[in-house]
Amino acid sequence: MSLFFNTYKSFYKENLKLALPVILSQVGQITVQLADTAMVGRYGGDDPVPLAAVSYATSLFFIVFVTAMGLTFGLTPLVGEHYAKGNKSYVSELLRSGFVLYGIIGAITTLLLFAIRPMFRIMGGMMISSGSDASINEVIDMALPYYDIIIWTIFPIMIWGTAKQFLEGIGNTKVAMVTIIISNVINIFLNWVFIFGHFGFEAMGAVGAGLATLIARVAQCVVMLAYFLYSPKFREYTKGLFRLVTPHFKAIIETLKVGIPISFQMLMEASAFALAGVLVLAFGAHSVSAYQIGTNMMNVTFMIVIAIGSATTILCSHIYGRRNFENLRKTIYASYQMGLMWNITVALLFVLLRNHIPALFTSNQETIKLTATMLIFIALFQVSDCLQAISISVLRGLQDVKVIMPIVVISYIIFNIPVGYLLAFNCGFESIGLIVGFIVGLSICATLTILRVRRDINRLERRVGN
């Protein structure tokens, strides 16, 4: 065991040096998500409608949000590759083109979110006609004002995301951490003010949570840009940022080539979870609230793995840029090991504390009981969730992203969603059946992406031999 640890010790340190600020950022984001859920749940008390409204609004918003944000992820491996090569002028072009591209995408995404707003009523009507809980109308009435506010968070987050992904490409993960922490403090404080009504404000409930999120995300963007643009550390990359010249179309096309498959993967995964969040409406407000709590707890695990994966993408992109593949295998294996240690630990905690965790969010006994059962099944897919997330992070860093698209189609569209639907509606498992669908889909995704990573490692290591 000691020999094994010593073999990978330096690789653990290298990953954690980059991952730790991202982990702290993700912990901060998780804290806000949990605080939003807990505060809205406590505001509702025994009434599950406020929490269900936030869950429903978020499920639709999240699909579009993560798809847009996924496009910015294409910036990191390209910046990392050219930064490792020492090609700083092209790195600057990637940054400038990134702000143009993602600013336009942010504006288009905002309009799209307004355009799909009628879907709330349409899907709610379908659920009522299928015989589900009539309280769905109450959920929708409360969800729409919340949704109308969080739509405006897209543009500032896209601009912030551009700077964040660029900085990760050059190996700086600390700046994003600081901006997220500042944003989180603002968000939690304003949640308390707006949701419950303090300092002369009326209690706004779910709408207050949306307003707090908007203000916090605008602040997050402003702080990031202020530091990024005025810090001498980044002057060589930002000095020509706002000059009025034609965007570098080669940089935009390269960024989209990498970003589109990443965005598609995030769209498929988010759509599967969001669709489950909509389908769960058919089983009533208690099921919606239980699903919201369960997925929030799942994010506790997933966000930490994403942090490890972000560090892995950076390390792999630098290795790819230098074309020095001798330590590629150990770098990747160290990431798998750290991710699995975390996910397995949290999975055990989900099972052991399944009756206590839901009580942090609601006092409704039916919701607590259902969530406790759901957490057992969420614990079952933690290993496969970890493996697929880190494998995809490796493929991003090596710019082998086209293969991700057919893999996620097979995993989520062919297996995950149909299996979940069949178990939920035809086999009588209801909301638990939707979670079992994720066990199947994520396991298939993990298997296929691991096989692709192994192929890439073997192919690149042969270059060393030659």
Side-chain angles (χ1 to χ4, degrees):
M1 188 68 178
S2 177
L3 179 62
F4 179 87
F5 179 78
N6 288 332
T7 301
Y8 288 98
K9 183 178 179 181
S10 62
F11 297 96
Y12 295 148
K13 287 183 177 179
E14 190 175 22
N15 188 295
L16 286 174
K17 183 179 178 181
L18 292 169
L20 190 57
V22 184
I23 289 172
L24 293 173
S25 301
Q26 300 294 355
V27 168
Q29 287 186 320
I30 290 165
T31 301
V32 169
Q33 290 171 3
L34 294 178
D36 280 357
T37 303
M39 287 180 173
V40 173
R42 287 294 173 186
Y43 173 81
D46 287 335
D47 181 5
V49 171
L51 185 55
V54 171
S55 175
Y56 185 38
T58 302
S59 66
L60 284 178
F61 172 83
F62 195 66
I63 296 176
V64 180
F65 175 74
V66 300
T67 304
M69 283 300 294
L71 290 169
T72 68
F73 281 45
L75 195 60
T76 300
L78 288 170
V79 170
E81 177 193 358
H82 290 282
Y83 175 78
K85 288 179 177 178
N87 189 358
K88 293 185 177 181
S89 62
Y90 193 64
V91 170
S92 298
E93 287 296 341
L94 285 167
L95 174 63
R96 192 166 65 87
S97 301
F99 275 120
V100 173
L101 175 63
Y102 299 129
I104 293 171
I105 291 172
I108 293 172
T109 303
T110 302
L111 295 175
L112 177 61
L113 285 166
F114 276 112
I116 65 173
R117 189 179 186 276
M119 292 298 295
F120 276 84
R121 295 290 180 192
I122 294 171
M123 289 188 294
M126 291 170 61
M127 292 301 173
I128 292 173
S129 64
S130 68
S132 62
D133 194 333
S135 66
I136 287 174
N137 275 328
E138 292 182 67
V139 172
I140 294 171
D141 288 340
M142 193 174 292
L144 281 170
Y146 174 83
Y147 177 82
D148 290 341
I149 292 174
I150 61 174
I151 284 174
W152 296 105
T153 68
I154 283 284
F155 187 82
I157 283 297
M158 288 296 291
I159 299 300
W160 173 84
T162 305
K164 172 184 176 290
Q165 298 306 137
F166 172 83
L167 289 171
E168 287 189 0
I170 64 175
N172 186 314
T173 54
K174 294 179 180 178
V175 177
M177 175 193 72
V178 173
T179 60
I180 288 174
I181 290 173
I182 291 171
S183 171
N184 291 342
V185 171
I186 294 171
N187 198 346
I188 292 173
F189 173 72
L190 292 181
N191 270 344
W192 176 74
V193 172
F194 295 144
I195 292 174
F196 298 102
H198 293 283
F199 295 107
F201 289 93
E202 293 183 5
M204 302 181 193
V207 174
L211 183 58
T213 298
L214 172 61
I215 295 171
R217 286 183 174 173
V218 170
Q220 181 176 324
C221 176
V222 170
V223 172
M224 169 68 91
L225 288 179
Y227 180 81
F228 186 59
L229 294 176
Y230 292 103
S231 174
K233 295 179 183 179
F234 312 118
R235 192 66 49 79
E236 59 186 322
Y237 303 114
T238 61
K239 58 186 177 183
L241 194 59
F242 297 111
R243 66 179 189 272
L244 297 176
V245 297
T246 304
H248 199 295
F249 288 107
K250 178 187 175 184
I252 289 176
I253 291 169
E254 278 196 347
T255 304
L256 287 174
K257 280 183 178 179
V258 179
I260 288 174
I262 295 172
S263 178
F264 184 78
Q265 174 261 323
M266 296 178 72
L267 169 63
M268 289 296 100
E269 188 170 341
S271 296
F273 280 99
L275 180 58
V278 172
L279 291 175
V280 80
L281 278 166
F283 309 116
H286 293 294
S287 292
V288 178
S289 295
Y291 182 79
Q292 172 75 353
I293 295 169
T295 51
N296 265 276
M297 295 311 302
M298 179 196 67
N299 286 338
V300 171
T301 304
F302 190 66
M303 290 299 182
I304 303 303
V305 174
I306 286 297
I308 296 171
S310 295
T312 306
T313 297
I314 296 167
L315 294 171
C316 288
S317 70
H318 290 180
I319 290 171
Y320 187 76
R322 297 187 185 103
R323 299 297 193 267
N324 181 5
F325 303 112
E326 292 180 0
N327 290 323
L328 178 63
R329 185 181 297 269
K330 289 181 179 178
T331 298
I332 293 170
Y333 283 6
S335 299
Y336 281 133
Q337 291 158 21
M338 289 188 293
L340 285 172
M341 283 188 287
W342 166 255
N343 272 48
I344 291 171
T345 300
V346 176
L348 291 172
L349 290 173
F350 282 176
V351 174
L352 293 173
L353 302 176
R354 63 187 181 277
N355 293 310
H356 302 285
I357 291 171
L360 298 173
F361 301 93
T362 181
S363 58
N364 186 285
Q365 291 304 308
E366 187 174 343
T367 300
I368 290 172
K369 183 178 178 180
L370 182 57
T371 307
T373 303
M374 198 175 284
L375 284 171
I376 296 174
F377 288 90
I378 289 174
L380 292 177
F381 65 67
Q382 293 307 302
V383 169
S384 56
D385 199 18
C386 166
L387 292 174
Q388 67 88 22
I390 292 179
S391 296
I392 288 173
S393 297
V394 172
L395 296 175
R396 289 174 186 170
L398 300 178
Q399 298 182 36
D400 183 17
V401 292
K402 289 183 180 179
V403 71
I404 295 175
M405 297 177 77
I407 288 176
V408 297
V409 168
I410 293 169
S411 303
Y412 298 114
I413 295 180
I414 296 178
F415 285 98
N416 188 337
I417 296 172
V419 168
Y421 186 90
L422 180 67
L423 292 174
F425 291 92
N426 296 95
C427 298
F429 288 94
E430 297 191 348
S431 57
I432 300 300
L434 297 173
I435 301 298
V436 175
F438 291 114
I439 296 175
V440 175
L442 289 168
S443 297
I444 292 171
C445 188
T447 301
L448 295 176
T449 51
I450 287 172
L451 290 174
R452 185 68 176 194
V453 167
R454 288 184 62 183
R455 169 194 173 277
D456 284 354
I457 292 173
N458 292 333
R459 176 174 58 86
L460 294 171
E461 284 182 340
R462 282 196 293 270
R463 293 188 183 181
V464 177
N466 295 332

